[in-house]
mmCIF file of all heavy atoms in Angstrom:
data_model
loop_
_atom_site.group_PDB
_atom_site.id
_atom_site.type_symbol
_atom_site.label_atom_id
_atom_site.label_comp_id
_atom_site.label_asym_id
_atom_site.label_seq_id
_atom_site.Cartn_x
_atom_site.Cartn_y
_atom_site.Cartn_z
ATOM 1 N N ARG A 1 -24.912 -2.301 58.187
ATOM 2 C CA ARG A 1 -23.504 -2.439 58.552
ATOM 3 C C ARG A 1 -22.576 -2.174 57.375
ATOM 4 O O ARG A 1 -21.407 -1.860 57.550
ATOM 5 C CB ARG A 1 -23.243 -3.841 59.117
ATOM 6 C CG ARG A 1 -23.918 -4.089 60.456
ATOM 7 C CD ARG A 1 -23.577 -5.464 61.009
ATOM 8 N NE ARG A 1 -24.171 -5.657 62.318
ATOM 9 C CZ ARG A 1 -25.395 -6.144 62.505
ATOM 10 N NH1 ARG A 1 -26.114 -6.484 61.454
ATOM 11 N NH2 ARG A 1 -25.883 -6.267 63.714
ATOM 12 N N GLU A 2 -23.097 -2.302 56.176
ATOM 13 C CA GLU A 2 -22.272 -2.197 54.974
ATOM 14 C C GLU A 2 -21.919 -0.755 54.620
ATOM 15 O O GLU A 2 -22.741 0.159 54.793
ATOM 16 C CB GLU A 2 -22.994 -2.823 53.781
ATOM 17 C CG GLU A 2 -22.996 -4.343 53.771
ATOM 18 C CD GLU A 2 -23.905 -4.942 54.817
ATOM 19 O OE1 GLU A 2 -24.734 -4.209 55.397
ATOM 20 O OE2 GLU A 2 -23.800 -6.152 55.068
ATOM 21 N N LEU A 3 -20.704 -0.558 54.112
ATOM 22 C CA LEU A 3 -20.323 0.685 53.459
ATOM 23 C C LEU A 3 -21.036 0.729 52.109
ATOM 24 O O LEU A 3 -21.030 -0.264 51.371
ATOM 25 C CB LEU A 3 -18.815 0.714 53.247
ATOM 26 C CG LEU A 3 -18.253 1.866 52.406
ATOM 27 C CD1 LEU A 3 -18.212 3.145 53.222
ATOM 28 C CD2 LEU A 3 -16.850 1.529 51.893
ATOM 29 N N GLU A 4 -21.670 1.836 51.785
ATOM 30 C CA GLU A 4 -22.405 1.938 50.519
ATOM 31 C C GLU A 4 -21.815 3.044 49.655
ATOM 32 O O GLU A 4 -21.604 4.168 50.112
ATOM 33 C CB GLU A 4 -23.887 2.218 50.765
ATOM 34 C CG GLU A 4 -24.700 2.329 49.490
ATOM 35 C CD GLU A 4 -26.210 2.410 49.741
ATOM 36 O OE1 GLU A 4 -26.676 1.838 50.747
ATOM 37 O OE2 GLU A 4 -26.911 3.053 48.950
ATOM 38 N N ILE A 5 -21.557 2.705 48.425
ATOM 39 C CA ILE A 5 -21.090 3.682 47.442
ATOM 40 C C ILE A 5 -21.962 3.521 46.208
ATOM 41 O O ILE A 5 -22.310 2.407 45.823
ATOM 42 C CB ILE A 5 -19.596 3.495 47.113
ATOM 43 C CG1 ILE A 5 -19.114 4.583 46.143
ATOM 44 C CG2 ILE A 5 -19.303 2.107 46.584
ATOM 45 C CD1 ILE A 5 -17.603 4.604 45.973
ATOM 46 N N GLY A 6 -22.382 4.637 45.612
ATOM 47 C CA GLY A 6 -23.298 4.554 44.480
ATOM 48 C C GLY A 6 -23.006 5.605 43.427
ATOM 49 O O GLY A 6 -22.518 6.701 43.737
ATOM 50 N N TYR A 7 -23.305 5.257 42.199
ATOM 51 C CA TYR A 7 -23.136 6.160 41.058
ATOM 52 C C TYR A 7 -24.514 6.533 40.540
ATOM 53 O O TYR A 7 -25.376 5.666 40.337
ATOM 54 C CB TYR A 7 -22.331 5.465 39.956
ATOM 55 C CG TYR A 7 -22.131 6.305 38.712
ATOM 56 C CD1 TYR A 7 -21.153 7.288 38.672
ATOM 57 C CD2 TYR A 7 -22.917 6.110 37.579
ATOM 58 C CE1 TYR A 7 -20.954 8.054 37.536
ATOM 59 C CE2 TYR A 7 -22.729 6.867 36.436
ATOM 60 C CZ TYR A 7 -21.750 7.844 36.420
ATOM 61 O OH TYR A 7 -21.563 8.603 35.297
ATOM 62 N N VAL A 8 -24.752 7.832 40.330
ATOM 63 C CA VAL A 8 -26.051 8.317 39.854
ATOM 64 C C VAL A 8 -26.066 8.264 38.330
ATOM 65 O O VAL A 8 -25.388 9.049 37.663
ATOM 66 C CB VAL A 8 -26.337 9.745 40.354
ATOM 67 C CG1 VAL A 8 -27.742 10.172 39.924
ATOM 68 C CG2 VAL A 8 -26.207 9.828 41.867
ATOM 69 N N LEU A 9 -26.848 7.343 37.793
ATOM 70 C CA LEU A 9 -26.942 7.188 36.338
ATOM 71 C C LEU A 9 -27.849 8.232 35.708
ATOM 72 O O LEU A 9 -27.636 8.642 34.565
ATOM 73 C CB LEU A 9 -27.465 5.788 36.004
ATOM 74 C CG LEU A 9 -26.528 4.626 36.355
ATOM 75 C CD1 LEU A 9 -27.290 3.319 36.354
ATOM 76 C CD2 LEU A 9 -25.381 4.575 35.368
ATOM 77 N N ASP A 10 -28.862 8.661 36.453
ATOM 78 C CA ASP A 10 -29.807 9.638 35.902
ATOM 79 C C ASP A 10 -30.598 10.258 37.037
ATOM 80 O O ASP A 10 -30.773 9.662 38.105
ATOM 81 C CB ASP A 10 -30.766 8.948 34.915
ATOM 82 C CG ASP A 10 -31.498 9.948 34.024
ATOM 83 O OD1 ASP A 10 -31.006 11.085 33.886
ATOM 84 O OD2 ASP A 10 -32.558 9.600 33.474
ATOM 85 N N GLY A 11 -31.107 11.478 36.801
ATOM 86 C CA GLY A 11 -31.956 12.144 37.777
ATOM 87 C C GLY A 11 -31.164 12.825 38.878
ATOM 88 O O GLY A 11 -29.950 13.036 38.784
ATOM 89 N N ALA A 12 -31.868 13.156 39.953
ATOM 90 C CA ALA A 12 -31.262 13.837 41.095
ATOM 91 C C ALA A 12 -32.074 13.529 42.344
ATOM 92 O O ALA A 12 -33.301 13.355 42.278
ATOM 93 C CB ALA A 12 -31.207 15.351 40.865
ATOM 94 N N ILE A 13 -31.395 13.472 43.473
ATOM 95 C CA ILE A 13 -32.053 13.174 44.734
ATOM 96 C C ILE A 13 -31.207 13.721 45.869
ATOM 97 O O ILE A 13 -29.991 13.887 45.718
ATOM 98 C CB ILE A 13 -32.265 11.637 44.894
ATOM 99 C CG1 ILE A 13 -33.333 11.324 45.937
ATOM 100 C CG2 ILE A 13 -30.955 10.930 45.190
ATOM 101 C CD1 ILE A 13 -33.817 9.887 45.885
ATOM 102 N N SER A 14 -31.833 14.045 46.975
ATOM 103 C CA SER A 14 -31.097 14.529 48.143
ATOM 104 C C SER A 14 -30.764 13.358 49.058
ATOM 105 O O SER A 14 -31.627 12.541 49.364
ATOM 106 C CB SER A 14 -31.913 15.572 48.912
ATOM 107 O OG SER A 14 -32.042 16.768 48.165
ATOM 108 N N LEU A 15 -29.520 13.310 49.476
ATOM 109 C CA LEU A 15 -29.054 12.314 50.433
ATOM 110 C C LEU A 15 -28.856 13.009 51.764
ATOM 111 O O LEU A 15 -28.126 14.000 51.850
ATOM 112 C CB LEU A 15 -27.738 11.695 49.956
ATOM 113 C CG LEU A 15 -26.937 10.876 50.973
ATOM 114 C CD1 LEU A 15 -27.723 9.645 51.424
ATOM 115 C CD2 LEU A 15 -25.581 10.479 50.396
ATOM 116 N N ARG A 16 -29.511 12.501 52.795
ATOM 117 C CA ARG A 16 -29.428 13.135 54.103
ATOM 118 C C ARG A 16 -28.848 12.177 55.124
ATOM 119 O O ARG A 16 -29.321 11.055 55.278
ATOM 120 C CB ARG A 16 -30.801 13.586 54.579
ATOM 121 C CG ARG A 16 -30.737 14.238 55.950
ATOM 122 C CD ARG A 16 -32.099 14.660 56.432
ATOM 123 N NE ARG A 16 -31.984 15.315 57.722
ATOM 124 C CZ ARG A 16 -32.724 15.014 58.782
ATOM 125 N NH1 ARG A 16 -33.609 14.060 58.720
ATOM 126 N NH2 ARG A 16 -32.564 15.663 59.918
ATOM 127 N N THR A 17 -27.780 12.606 55.793
ATOM 128 C CA THR A 17 -27.263 11.925 56.959
ATOM 129 C C THR A 17 -27.567 12.813 58.168
ATOM 130 O O THR A 17 -28.134 13.898 58.021
ATOM 131 C CB THR A 17 -25.745 11.690 56.848
ATOM 132 O OG1 THR A 17 -25.069 12.958 56.887
ATOM 133 C CG2 THR A 17 -25.412 10.977 55.534
ATOM 134 N N HIS A 18 -27.179 12.373 59.356
ATOM 135 C CA HIS A 18 -27.460 13.203 60.529
ATOM 136 C C HIS A 18 -26.590 14.445 60.554
ATOM 137 O O HIS A 18 -26.864 15.388 61.295
ATOM 138 C CB HIS A 18 -27.276 12.396 61.812
ATOM 139 C CG HIS A 18 -25.849 12.140 62.182
ATOM 140 N ND1 HIS A 18 -25.086 11.176 61.557
ATOM 141 C CD2 HIS A 18 -25.039 12.730 63.106
ATOM 142 C CE1 HIS A 18 -23.878 11.178 62.079
ATOM 143 N NE2 HIS A 18 -23.814 12.101 63.008
ATOM 144 N N GLN A 19 -25.544 14.470 59.728
ATOM 145 C CA GLN A 19 -24.635 15.608 59.730
ATOM 146 C C GLN A 19 -24.953 16.638 58.651
ATOM 147 O O GLN A 19 -24.775 17.834 58.859
ATOM 148 C CB GLN A 19 -23.189 15.123 59.552
ATOM 149 C CG GLN A 19 -22.681 14.299 60.725
ATOM 150 C CD GLN A 19 -21.259 13.843 60.517
ATOM 151 O OE1 GLN A 19 -20.845 13.548 59.406
ATOM 152 N NE2 GLN A 19 -20.491 13.777 61.599
ATOM 153 N N GLN A 20 -25.441 16.191 57.494
ATOM 154 C CA GLN A 20 -25.638 17.129 56.389
ATOM 155 C C GLN A 20 -26.575 16.535 55.346
ATOM 156 O O GLN A 20 -26.843 15.337 55.321
ATOM 157 C CB GLN A 20 -24.301 17.485 55.746
ATOM 158 C CG GLN A 20 -23.490 16.288 55.275
ATOM 159 C CD GLN A 20 -22.105 16.686 54.819
ATOM 160 O OE1 GLN A 20 -21.925 17.647 54.081
ATOM 161 N NE2 GLN A 20 -21.102 15.951 55.266
ATOM 162 N N THR A 21 -27.077 17.424 54.495
ATOM 163 C CA THR A 21 -27.904 17.032 53.358
ATOM 164 C C THR A 21 -27.229 17.519 52.090
ATOM 165 O O THR A 21 -26.868 18.697 51.990
ATOM 166 C CB THR A 21 -29.322 17.635 53.461
ATOM 167 O OG1 THR A 21 -29.947 17.155 54.649
ATOM 168 C CG2 THR A 21 -30.168 17.227 52.257
ATOM 169 N N VAL A 22 -27.049 16.629 51.120
ATOM 170 C CA VAL A 22 -26.390 17.002 49.868
ATOM 171 C C VAL A 22 -27.232 16.509 48.697
ATOM 172 O O VAL A 22 -27.932 15.494 48.794
ATOM 173 C CB VAL A 22 -24.970 16.409 49.765
ATOM 174 C CG1 VAL A 22 -24.084 16.956 50.855
ATOM 175 C CG2 VAL A 22 -25.002 14.888 49.803
ATOM 176 N N LEU A 23 -27.174 17.253 47.617
ATOM 177 C CA LEU A 23 -27.846 16.846 46.388
ATOM 178 C C LEU A 23 -26.876 16.003 45.567
ATOM 179 O O LEU A 23 -25.727 16.384 45.368
ATOM 180 C CB LEU A 23 -28.277 18.069 45.584
ATOM 181 C CG LEU A 23 -29.000 17.786 44.258
ATOM 182 C CD1 LEU A 23 -30.369 17.167 44.522
ATOM 183 C CD2 LEU A 23 -29.133 19.060 43.438
ATOM 184 N N ILE A 24 -27.347 14.845 45.101
ATOM 185 C CA ILE A 24 -26.553 14.032 44.192
ATOM 186 C C ILE A 24 -27.307 13.944 42.867
ATOM 187 O O ILE A 24 -28.487 13.642 42.829
ATOM 188 C CB ILE A 24 -26.255 12.632 44.767
ATOM 189 C CG1 ILE A 24 -27.537 11.944 45.245
ATOM 190 C CG2 ILE A 24 -25.245 12.726 45.893
ATOM 191 C CD1 ILE A 24 -27.325 10.501 45.686
ATOM 192 N N SER A 25 -26.601 14.238 41.779
ATOM 193 C CA SER A 25 -27.196 14.306 40.459
ATOM 194 C C SER A 25 -26.449 13.389 39.495
ATOM 195 O O SER A 25 -25.448 12.768 39.861
ATOM 196 C CB SER A 25 -27.178 15.751 39.935
ATOM 197 O OG SER A 25 -27.791 16.636 40.848
ATOM 198 N N LYS A 26 -26.931 13.331 38.267
ATOM 199 C CA LYS A 26 -26.337 12.470 37.248
ATOM 200 C C LYS A 26 -24.832 12.681 37.177
ATOM 201 O O LYS A 26 -24.355 13.803 37.059
ATOM 202 C CB LYS A 26 -26.972 12.754 35.891
ATOM 203 C CG LYS A 26 -26.477 11.835 34.773
ATOM 204 C CD LYS A 26 -27.221 12.101 33.482
ATOM 205 C CE LYS A 26 -26.728 11.181 32.360
ATOM 206 N NZ LYS A 26 -27.461 11.418 31.088
ATOM 207 N N GLY A 27 -24.083 11.579 37.255
ATOM 208 C CA GLY A 27 -22.638 11.655 37.211
ATOM 209 C C GLY A 27 -21.968 11.769 38.561
ATOM 210 O O GLY A 27 -20.737 11.729 38.645
ATOM 211 N N ASP A 28 -22.751 11.905 39.631
ATOM 212 C CA ASP A 28 -22.185 12.000 40.978
ATOM 213 C C ASP A 28 -22.002 10.610 41.581
ATOM 214 O O ASP A 28 -22.723 9.670 41.250
ATOM 215 C CB ASP A 28 -23.092 12.817 41.899
ATOM 216 C CG ASP A 28 -23.081 14.298 41.565
ATOM 217 O OD1 ASP A 28 -22.156 14.737 40.854
ATOM 218 O OD2 ASP A 28 -24.000 15.015 41.999
ATOM 219 N N VAL A 29 -21.059 10.513 42.497
ATOM 220 C CA VAL A 29 -20.844 9.305 43.297
ATOM 221 C C VAL A 29 -21.029 9.681 44.757
ATOM 222 O O VAL A 29 -20.476 10.683 45.222
ATOM 223 C CB VAL A 29 -19.431 8.725 43.080
ATOM 224 C CG1 VAL A 29 -19.199 7.535 44.007
ATOM 225 C CG2 VAL A 29 -19.244 8.303 41.629
ATOM 226 N N TYR A 30 -21.829 8.892 45.486
ATOM 227 C CA TYR A 30 -22.057 9.171 46.904
ATOM 228 C C TYR A 30 -21.463 8.059 47.754
ATOM 229 O O TYR A 30 -21.246 6.940 47.298
ATOM 230 C CB TYR A 30 -23.552 9.325 47.203
ATOM 231 C CG TYR A 30 -24.347 8.045 47.104
ATOM 232 C CD1 TYR A 30 -24.486 7.193 48.200
ATOM 233 C CD2 TYR A 30 -24.951 7.667 45.910
ATOM 234 C CE1 TYR A 30 -25.210 6.010 48.112
ATOM 235 C CE2 TYR A 30 -25.684 6.494 45.805
ATOM 236 C CZ TYR A 30 -25.807 5.671 46.917
ATOM 237 O OH TYR A 30 -26.512 4.493 46.822
ATOM 238 N N LEU A 31 -21.211 8.384 49.019
ATOM 239 C CA LEU A 31 -20.626 7.429 49.958
ATOM 240 C C LEU A 31 -21.335 7.542 51.302
ATOM 241 O O LEU A 31 -21.511 8.639 51.824
ATOM 242 C CB LEU A 31 -19.133 7.719 50.133
ATOM 243 C CG LEU A 31 -18.390 6.879 51.168
ATOM 244 C CD1 LEU A 31 -18.299 5.426 50.718
ATOM 245 C CD2 LEU A 31 -16.990 7.448 51.423
ATOM 246 N N VAL A 32 -21.748 6.407 51.845
ATOM 247 C CA VAL A 32 -22.365 6.352 53.165
ATOM 248 C C VAL A 32 -21.626 5.299 53.990
ATOM 249 O O VAL A 32 -21.475 4.154 53.559
ATOM 250 C CB VAL A 32 -23.860 5.983 53.088
ATOM 251 C CG1 VAL A 32 -24.455 5.880 54.491
ATOM 252 C CG2 VAL A 32 -24.633 7.016 52.272
ATOM 253 N N ASN A 33 -21.168 5.684 55.165
ATOM 254 C CA ASN A 33 -20.469 4.751 56.036
ATOM 255 C C ASN A 33 -21.403 3.686 56.583
ATOM 256 O O ASN A 33 -22.621 3.907 56.699
ATOM 257 C CB ASN A 33 -19.839 5.502 57.219
ATOM 258 C CG ASN A 33 -18.621 6.296 56.826
ATOM 259 O OD1 ASN A 33 -17.615 5.746 56.400
ATOM 260 N ND2 ASN A 33 -18.707 7.624 56.962
ATOM 261 N N GLY A 34 -20.843 2.556 56.943
ATOM 262 C CA GLY A 34 -21.624 1.549 57.629
ATOM 263 C C GLY A 34 -22.107 2.055 58.974
ATOM 264 O O GLY A 34 -21.430 2.850 59.631
ATOM 265 N N MET A 35 -23.300 1.641 59.385
ATOM 266 C CA MET A 35 -23.921 2.051 60.644
ATOM 267 C C MET A 35 -24.205 3.554 60.698
ATOM 268 O O MET A 35 -24.296 4.143 61.763
ATOM 269 C CB MET A 35 -23.051 1.646 61.838
ATOM 270 C CG MET A 35 -22.739 0.164 61.910
ATOM 271 S SD MET A 35 -24.215 -0.878 62.049
ATOM 272 C CE MET A 35 -24.823 -0.396 63.651
ATOM 273 N N GLU A 36 -24.365 4.177 59.533
ATOM 274 C CA GLU A 36 -24.669 5.607 59.469
ATOM 275 C C GLU A 36 -26.104 5.795 58.984
ATOM 276 O O GLU A 36 -26.410 5.506 57.822
ATOM 277 C CB GLU A 36 -23.710 6.328 58.527
ATOM 278 C CG GLU A 36 -23.943 7.823 58.445
ATOM 279 C CD GLU A 36 -22.903 8.536 57.595
ATOM 280 O OE1 GLU A 36 -22.337 7.901 56.680
ATOM 281 O OE2 GLU A 36 -22.658 9.721 57.848
ATOM 282 N N PRO A 37 -27.010 6.269 59.843
ATOM 283 C CA PRO A 37 -28.398 6.493 59.398
ATOM 284 C C PRO A 37 -28.438 7.490 58.242
ATOM 285 O O PRO A 37 -27.770 8.518 58.264
ATOM 286 C CB PRO A 37 -29.084 7.067 60.646
ATOM 287 C CG PRO A 37 -28.233 6.608 61.790
ATOM 288 C CD PRO A 37 -26.823 6.602 61.264
#
């Protein structure tokens, strides 16, 4: 249920929602809505 926001301190990883897949790397900030798989 929570809104999630995160800062990438190191490395890289792909974040996938049902709408799109994006790469997040060192220095990036990601956002995921609550109730969003």
